[in-house]
């Protein structure tokens, strides 16, 4: 066992509101292995209240620091690191001009391994300890990312990007080399083989990954849904209702469905552990479908602002009661930093609200990128919080990391002011250390 003495931020996750934070100015976080050997939170609370109980445990004292849950990024693309900040009129030209050409390069194992190393190092450097990530349409990219996450002991879900149409050949799924199977069949067989190889190994999870309806044939979507039905604890990830031109395209390709979102529902791709990125242009029936199916939205504010896609409507999502959390959407998104994503969500929340003038509180923003995101992924009580039983993934924040942060946080008169100062002024410099739960 090991203990850390510092200020500690966690979420009560009980009662109302669900995002209420608890903050110990002088706290103690005790971590140690459970029966499986995985390091979990054993106790957390005020130092004075816990010090006698854990008198024999080595304590690392971190004066002036804040320990907080590791961040959970609900949606990003590891094959898009090199195209962050590529300007385009909107989503579809951005995909065509930058994204697909770059993703074509994720066919070589060396290229994939180098990108996976950089991507996970960058997530961790920014305090992200759990991610649901798109790989490319090549099995090499999935193996590379899982291998690197396993080496680091990180909790990560990814899967083979399913796309069998409407993109250059090099970025589509491939037919079996001997010609015995077409690309659609082969992509589904590859997905199942990768799932069996990686799902629930250590802290890894497989995500069945139809890119979005316009890039998948009806057969491929149906095949993905059949696979999902056979593996109910696997994840599903896709995109929906991000951009007006994308929506018109999806509607034209699947005219029999009531809406773009319904295209996925009609084949059986909406359920708990199904995560749909964006969900900007939904109507009330779509939001009810999200709620009733148990699917979750990954809200990607920096991407939506950068690509001019629109604004997530938090008030409408809350009225419908479906689950959502925050995501970087690298590389449509502009930053690996959860602070930038939370600030983007604050700006976007002002624009997208149906109730004028309201936006999100700092506790809501922080919760949506930690415990709330974990809950939306079906991982409540496993990651995203620092309460007993959670895996011991956490960040050590240094609020003195820059002169301005030091000056502003010293003036904070409340927890909300302190959190807001870090959301607005924070970036990778605020993350002094990222600690990943050990397996002993
Ligand atoms: N829709 C389909 N593919 C993508 C992607 O890679 N990024 C974003 N932002 N939207 C998508
Ligand atoms: Zn995306």
């Amino acid at each position: 066992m090991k203990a850390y003495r510092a200020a500690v931020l966690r979420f009560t996750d009980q009662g109302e509101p669900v995002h209420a934070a608890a903050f110990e100015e002088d706290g103690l976080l005790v971590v140690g292995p459970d029966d499986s050997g995985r390091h979990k939170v054993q106790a957390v609370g005020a130092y004075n209240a816990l010090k006698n109980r854990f008198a024999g445990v080595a304590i690392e004292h971190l004066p002036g620091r804040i320990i907080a849950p590791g961040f959970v990024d609900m949606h990003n693309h590891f094959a898009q690191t090199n195209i962050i900040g590529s300007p385009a009129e909107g989503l579809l030209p951005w995909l065509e001009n930058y994204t697909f050409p770059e993703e074509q390069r994720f066919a070589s194992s060396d290229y994939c391994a180098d990108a996976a190393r950089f991507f996970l190092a960058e997530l961790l450097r920014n305090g992200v300890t759990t991610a649901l990530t798109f790989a490319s349409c090549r099995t090499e990219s999935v193996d590379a990312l899982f291998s690197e996450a396993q080496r680091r002991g990180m909790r990560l879900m990814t899967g083979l990007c399913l796309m069998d149409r409407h993109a250059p050949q090099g970025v589509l799924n491939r037919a079996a080399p001997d010609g015995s199977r077409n690309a659609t069949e082969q992509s589904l067989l590859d997905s199942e083989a990768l799932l069996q190889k990686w799902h629930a190994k250590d802290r890894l999870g497989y995500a069945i990954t139809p890119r979005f309806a316009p890039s998948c044939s009806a057969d491929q979507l149906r095949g993905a849904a059949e696979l999902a039905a056979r593996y109910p604890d696997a994840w599903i990830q896709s995109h929906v209702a991000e951009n007006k031109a994308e929506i018109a395209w999806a509607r034209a390709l699947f005219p029999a469905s009531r809406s773009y979102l319904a295209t996925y529902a009609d084949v059986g791709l909406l359920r708990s552990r199904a995560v749909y990125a964006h969900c900007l242009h939904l109507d009330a029936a779509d939001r009810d479908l999200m709620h009733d199916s148990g699917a979750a939205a990954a809200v990607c504010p920096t991407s939506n602002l950068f690509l001019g896609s629109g604004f997530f409507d938090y008030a409408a999502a809350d009225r419908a009661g479906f689950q959502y959390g925050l995501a970087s959407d690298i590389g449509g998104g502009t930053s690996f930093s959860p602070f930038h994503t939370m600030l983007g969500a604050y700006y976007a929340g002002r624009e997208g609200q149906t109730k004028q003038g309201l936006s999100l509180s700092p506790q809501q923003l922080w919760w949506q990128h930690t415990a709330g995101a974990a809950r939306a992924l079906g991982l409540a009580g496993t990651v995203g919080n620092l309460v007993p039983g959670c895996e011991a993934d956490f960040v050590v924040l240094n609020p003195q990391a820059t002169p301005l942060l030091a000056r502003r946080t010293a003036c904070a008169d409340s927890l909300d002011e302190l959190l807001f100062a870090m959301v607005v002024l924070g970036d990778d410099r605020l993350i002094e250390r990222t600690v990943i739960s050990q397996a002993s």
Side-chain angles (χ1 to χ4, degrees):
M1 284 221 276
K2 174 158 188 198
Y4 300 83
R5 181 179 176 187
V8 179
L9 177 75
R10 65 186 193 277
F11 294 92
T12 54
D13 261 355
Q14 286 156 5
E16 290 288 321
V18 65
H19 55 260
F23 189 73
E24 299 291 348
E25 294 266 1
D26 184 12
L28 194 71
L29 175 72
V30 185
V31 307
D34 68 359
D35 292 347
S36 72
R38 165 74 47 203
H39 280 224
K40 303 244 170 96
V41 176
Q42 302 293 339
V44 62
Y47 171 74
N48 276 334
L50 292 174
K51 67 178 181 207
N52 291 338
R53 206 171 119 204
F54 295 97
V57 175
I59 296 179
E60 184 174 348
H61 192 195
L62 299 162
R65 305 299 189 262
I66 301 168
I67 288 178
F71 290 99
V72 176
D73 188 343
M74 285 186 69
H75 176 81
N76 55 38
H77 298 253
F78 108 88
Q80 295 179 9
T81 307
N82 289 2
I83 56 154
I84 294 172
S86 300
E89 269 173 48
L91 171 68
L92 299 179
W94 177 80
L95 286 173
E96 197 174 311
N97 296 331
Y98 298 103
T99 316
F100 293 156
E102 174 60 16
E103 290 192 17
Q104 283 187 36
R105 305 173 77 181
F106 283 72
S108 118
S109 298
D110 286 349
Y111 196 84
C112 293
D114 175 66
R117 276 192 297 274
F118 182 87
F119 182 77
L120 295 187
E122 195 64 10
L123 284 179
L124 291 169
R125 215 174 62 70
N126 279 281
V128 175
T129 49
T130 293
L132 174 60
T133 299
F134 265 63
S136 83
C137 62
R138 294 295 163 82
T139 56
E140 291 86 343
S141 73
V142 181
D143 281 326
L145 193 59
F146 273 135
S147 301
E148 182 63 11
Q150 188 176 46
R151 192 181 70 75
R152 291 175 175 275
M154 198 178 161
R155 189 166 273 286
L156 180 119
M157 292 79 76
T158 190
L160 184 75
C161 184
L162 298 173
M163 44 190 312
D164 62 359
R165 61 174 177 170
H166 298 146
Q169 274 305 317
V171 80
L172 294 173
N173 299 125
R174 279 183 307 184
D178 60 5
S180 59
R181 276 181 292 273
N182 68 35
T184 306
E185 293 162 346
Q186 189 63 41
S187 69
L188 297 165
L189 291 170
D190 286 344
S191 295
E192 186 159 19
L194 287 164
L195 187 156
Q196 289 178 349
K197 180 170 172 188
W198 294 108
H199 184 61
K201 299 276 153 60
D202 298 332
R203 304 179 80 198
L204 309 175
Y206 195 80
I208 298 159
T209 305
R211 182 176 206 123
F212 66 158
S215 75
C216 301
S217 65
D219 280 348
Q220 198 176 37
L221 286 181
R222 273 194 297 270
E226 280 163 20
L227 191 57
R230 273 186 277 129
Y231 298 95
D233 69 338
W235 281 266
I236 297 168
Q237 57 177 345
S238 191
H239 297 89
V240 76
E242 176 178 3
N243 166 287
K244 296 274 168 65
E246 169 219 17
I247 295 169
W249 192 20
R251 298 297 301 118
L253 291 167
F254 294 97
S257 293
R258 193 202 68 84
S259 66
Y260 183 4
L261 183 73
T263 307
Y264 299 118
D266 291 348
V267 292
L269 281 168
L270 288 197
R271 66 164 195 208
S272 56
R273 292 200 169 193
V275 177
Y276 285 84
H278 306 296
C279 295
L280 302 183
H281 310 285
L282 301 182
D283 63 15
D286 287 330
R287 291 190 178 95
D288 288 344
L289 195 52
M290 290 293 290
H291 171 263
D292 296 347
S293 64
V299 182
C300 309
T302 72
S303 170
N304 300 155
L305 291 164
F306 184 71
L307 291 172
S309 304
F311 303 97
F312 184 77
D313 189 334
Y314 286 92
D318 288 342
R319 276 197 303 276
F322 68 84
Q323 310 246 340
Y324 59 84
L326 291 179
S328 68
D329 192 27
I330 294 295
T334 50
S335 175
F336 278 84
S337 175
F339 301 106
H340 291 177
T341 301
M342 291 188 285
L343 182 57
Y346 180 72
Y347 292 149
R350 277 194 179 286
E351 292 294 324
Q353 290 293 11
T354 39
K355 260 196 262 168
Q356 282 287 310
L358 279 181
S359 192
L360 301 151
S361 74
Q363 292 184 37
Q364 277 175 310
L365 292 165
W366 211 294
W367 182 80
Q368 284 172 21
H369 221 344
T370 52
R375 192 178 75 160
L377 288 170
L379 291 172
T382 302
V383 291
N385 206 351
L386 293 175
V387 293
C390 278
E391 293 170 355
D393 289 337
F394 60 90
V395 289
V396 179
L397 305 174
N398 176 8
Q400 280 89 43
T402 71
L404 181 57
L405 264 169
R407 194 175 172 96
R408 177 63 188 93
T409 55
C411 304
D413 283 334
S414 65
L415 176 59
D416 275 350
E417 282 194 21
L418 176 64
L419 296 181
F420 236 142
M422 292 191 283
V423 166
V424 173
L425 300 174
D427 56 29
D428 52 336
R429 292 168 294 181
L430 189 48
I431 307 285
E432 187 169 87
R433 201 195 304 178
T434 303
V435 178
I436 289 284
S437 166
Q438 302 295 303
S440 47

